[in-house]
C-alpha cells in the first residue's frame, strides 16, 4: 500500500506536496518521524524514496528534452512559414510582370493593324529561311 502511495506521489507530486501531515505519514504509516520505525522498514523506505527521487529526476530530464524539441520544432515551423511567404510574394510579383507583358504584347500585335503587318513580315522571313535551309540540305 505504501508503494502505491509513493508511485502516486511520483506521478502527481503537486497533489501530495500540500497534504498534511507531510511525508512522514506517507512513509511511516501512523505519523511521527521516519526514524522512529523499525530498522528494516526505515532502509526500505529510504530505498523507495531514493528510487522515487531518481524517477522524478529522469522524468524532469525527459520533460526538459521534450521542451527543447518542441521549441526547435516551433522555430523550424516559423522559418518555413517565412520562407513560404517569401516564395508567395515572389510568385505574385512574377504573375504581375507576366500579365503586364501579355497586355503590352496584345496592344502591339493584336489590337494594332501595324502589328499584324509586323507579324506577317516575321512569319514570311522565317518561312524563307526555312525554305533556303531545306533546299540547301536536300541538294547537297
Amino acid at each position: 500500500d505504501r508503494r502505491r502511495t509513493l508511485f502516486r506521489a511520483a506521478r502527481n507530486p503537486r497533489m501530495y506536496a500540500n497534504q498534511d501531515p507531510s511525508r512522514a505519514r506517507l512513509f511511516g504509516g501512523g505519523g511521527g518521524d521516519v526514524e522512529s520505525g523499525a530498522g528494516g522498514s526505515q532502509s526500505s523506505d529510504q530505498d523507495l524514496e531514493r528510487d522515487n527521487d531518481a524517477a522524478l529526476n529522469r522524468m524532469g530530464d525527459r520533460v526538459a528534452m521534450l521542451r527543447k524539441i518542441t521549441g526547435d520544432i516551433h522555430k523550424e515551423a516559423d522559418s518555413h512559414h517565412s520562407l513560404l511567404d517569401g516564395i508567395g510574394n515572389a510568385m505574385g510579383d512574377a504573375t504581375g510582370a507576366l500579365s503586364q507583358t501579355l497586355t503590352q504584347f496584345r496592344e502591339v500585335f493584336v489590337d494594332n493593324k501595324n502589328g499584324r503587318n509586323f507579324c506577317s513580315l516575321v512569319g514570311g522571313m522565317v518561312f524563307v529561311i526555312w525554305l533556303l535551309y531545306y533546299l540547301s540540305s536536300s541538294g547537297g
Side-chain angles (χ1 to χ4, degrees), residues 35 57 83 95 110 129:
E35 296 172 2
N57 287 336
L83 177 69
T95 301
V110 176
I129 292 172

Side-chain angles (χ1 to χ4, degrees), residues 132-140:
L132 290 174
Y133 173 75
Y134 180 73
L135 291 175
S136 68
S137 64
S138 65

Side-chain angles (χ1 to χ4, degrees), residues 2-136:
R2 273 189 264 152
R3 286 187 180 186
R4 283 189 196 147
T5 306
L6 289 174
F7 183 72
R8 288 183 188 139
R11 287 181 61 199
N12 195 355
R14 289 183 185 172
M15 187 172 99
Y16 288 92
N18 297 330
Q19 282 187 350
D20 279 319
S22 75
R23 294 176 73 141
R25 184 170 181 195
L26 289 173
F27 298 115
D33 290 340
V34 173
E35 296 172 2
S36 65
S41 174
Q42 181 181 3
S43 71
S44 174
D45 289 344
Q46 287 176 351
D47 290 341
L48 288 174
E49 186 174 353
R50 235 186 338 267
D51 292 343
N52 224 7
D53 290 342
L56 285 173
N57 287 336
R58 284 192 304 271
M59 193 180 309
D61 292 342
R62 288 180 183 167
V63 167
M65 181 180 65
L66 287 174
R67 176 178 267 176
K68 183 180 182 300
I69 290 171
T70 55
D72 291 345
I73 289 171
H74 181 71
K75 287 178 187 174
E76 190 72 20
D78 283 345
S79 165
H80 288 185
H81 183 68
S82 64
L83 177 69
L84 289 173
D85 281 346
I87 289 172
N89 291 339
M91 293 299 285
D93 294 344
T95 301
L98 183 61
S99 113
Q100 185 179 8
T101 302
L102 288 175
T103 302
Q104 290 175 353
F105 179 80
R106 187 178 309 124
E107 287 176 2
V108 170
F109 292 111
V110 176
D111 296 339
N112 192 348
K113 192 171 188 174
N114 291 334
R116 290 184 195 154
N117 292 338
F118 181 74
C119 285
S120 300
L121 178 66
V122 170
M125 289 173 56
V126 169
F127 178 73
V128 168
I129 292 172
W130 176 78
L131 185 63
L132 290 174
Y133 173 75
Y134 180 73
L135 291 175
S136 68

